[in-house]
Amino acid sequence: MTDIKVIIPAYNEEDSIAKVIKDIPKIVSEVIVVNNNSTDATAENAASAGATVLTENRKGYGYACLKGINYLSEPSKQPDIIVFMDGDYSDYPEELSKVIQPILENNVDLVIGSRVKELREDGAMTPQQVFGNFLATTLMKWFFGANFTDLGPFRAIKYKTLMALEMEDKTYGWTVEMQLKIIKRRFTYAEVPVRYKKRIGVSKVSGTLKGTIFAGAKILGWIFKYSIK
């Protein structure tokens, strides 16, 4: 039987985290919530909902993801597939079964849940998110011939593939780094359309000018770095 585990980086998501965990399909053997320096009840609510809770005090999406991966590095804990999703309830966790399907059926290495416009609630993505996705994926197509349409956080990847990528970004560049390394190292990938709704609470990235600028700079930095390698 395929072992599937979920990693959820979470910063001040006390109102949403339990809802996310509750909606994750029972085929998942463990949900790991990485409490990324929250100042609210995120950790307590995640634990009460049945998740394994880790603490990463260094702020950054990549730091939180790396913490979760490190926790799973022990041989007895290594899964076949790792699924990443956000803790703000903007994803539909029940669609996890759809996101992992290309891995199970076609042996694909990475699957991105693409937040297509047709399935996206109005206002769920800010204009800067929509433009940033378009710009990043267009540049990836021009430079690398990639077919990505989104940098969506809801994604599934084979554990062995993830280890081979040697992920390193600590903050906003995590998602694009993963996709670039998949392309450059000739792993297989696919996208599946997923629904997307307005998040609970305010985004720490797209909801602030500073976050938007830093995220955009980091994403473009990774793309240009790999374009000259």
Side-chain angles (χ1 to χ4, degrees):
M1 186 173 176
T2 305
D3 186 20
I4 304 158
K5 297 190 177 182
V6 173
I7 293 177
I8 306 174
Y11 170 61
N12 287 348
E13 305 290 6
E14 65 178 2
D15 295 329
S16 57
I17 194 65
K19 297 177 187 293
V20 175
I21 296 165
K22 174 179 169 289
D23 288 354
I24 292 173
K26 301 304 180 188
I27 56 173
V28 169
S29 65
E30 186 177 16
V31 177
I32 299 113
V33 172
V34 184
N35 179 33
N36 194 204
N37 208 29
S38 297
T39 56
D40 63 5
T42 295
E44 294 87 339
N45 293 353
S48 296
T52 299
V53 178
L54 309 178
T55 299
E56 174 53 75
N57 290 325
R58 293 170 295 183
K59 271 189 176 182
Y61 187 86
Y63 272 126
C65 291
L66 289 168
K67 183 79 172 189
I69 292 169
N70 185 61
Y71 165 78
L72 293 175
S73 63
E74 295 179 22
S76 63
K77 294 178 181 175
Q78 293 174 8
D80 299 300
I81 298 171
I82 292 182
V83 177
F84 294 92
M85 68 175 70
D86 282 348
D88 58 15
Y89 210 42
S90 54
D91 300 311
Y92 287 78
E94 60 269 29
E95 292 193 316
L96 179 146
S97 301
K98 181 167 74 169
V99 174
I100 65 171
Q101 196 170 3
I103 299 178
L104 299 178
E105 294 186 357
N106 301 318
N107 203 32
V108 170
D109 288 292
L110 169 70
V111 184
I112 304 294
S114 180
R115 300 165 291 183
V116 295
K117 185 177 181 181
E118 297 76 20
L119 300 178
R120 202 167 66 221
E121 182 182 353
D122 287 344
M125 290 178 69
T126 62
Q128 57 265 36
Q129 281 180 295
V130 174
F131 175 74
N133 261 323
F134 168 76
L135 179 60
T137 55
T138 298
L139 290 173
M140 289 163 76
K141 182 177 183 178
W142 288 351
F143 291 153
F144 313 108
N147 295 316
F148 290 116
T149 64
D150 196 8
L151 305 179
F154 194 5
R155 54 184 58 203
I157 186 169
K158 292 180 185 175
Y159 177 79
K160 289 183 179 178
T161 302
L162 182 60
M163 292 302 98
L165 297 183
E166 300 176 305
M167 295 291 292
E168 58 187 274
D169 194 272
K170 309 298 192 303
T171 55
Y172 303 115
W174 174 270
T175 54
V176 74
E177 178 196 358
M178 183 183 295
Q179 287 165 253
L180 287 168
K181 287 183 171 179
I182 284 285
I183 298 164
K184 295 288 281 188
R185 302 185 188 190
R186 302 189 183 281
F187 286 108
T188 55
Y189 63 90
E191 288 188 336
V192 296
V194 295
R195 294 176 292 161
Y196 197 68
K197 58 184 180 293
K198 291 179 183 176
R199 59 159 291 142
I200 294 176
V202 179
S203 172
K204 290 79 179 176
V205 180
S206 60
T208 67
L209 179 61
K210 177 183 175 182
T212 300
I213 293 171
F214 281 2
K218 201 67 180 286
I219 289 167
L220 293 176
W222 271 105
I223 292 173
F224 290 121
K225 171 184 174 182
Y226 268 75
S227 69
I228 60 175
K229 272 196 170 186

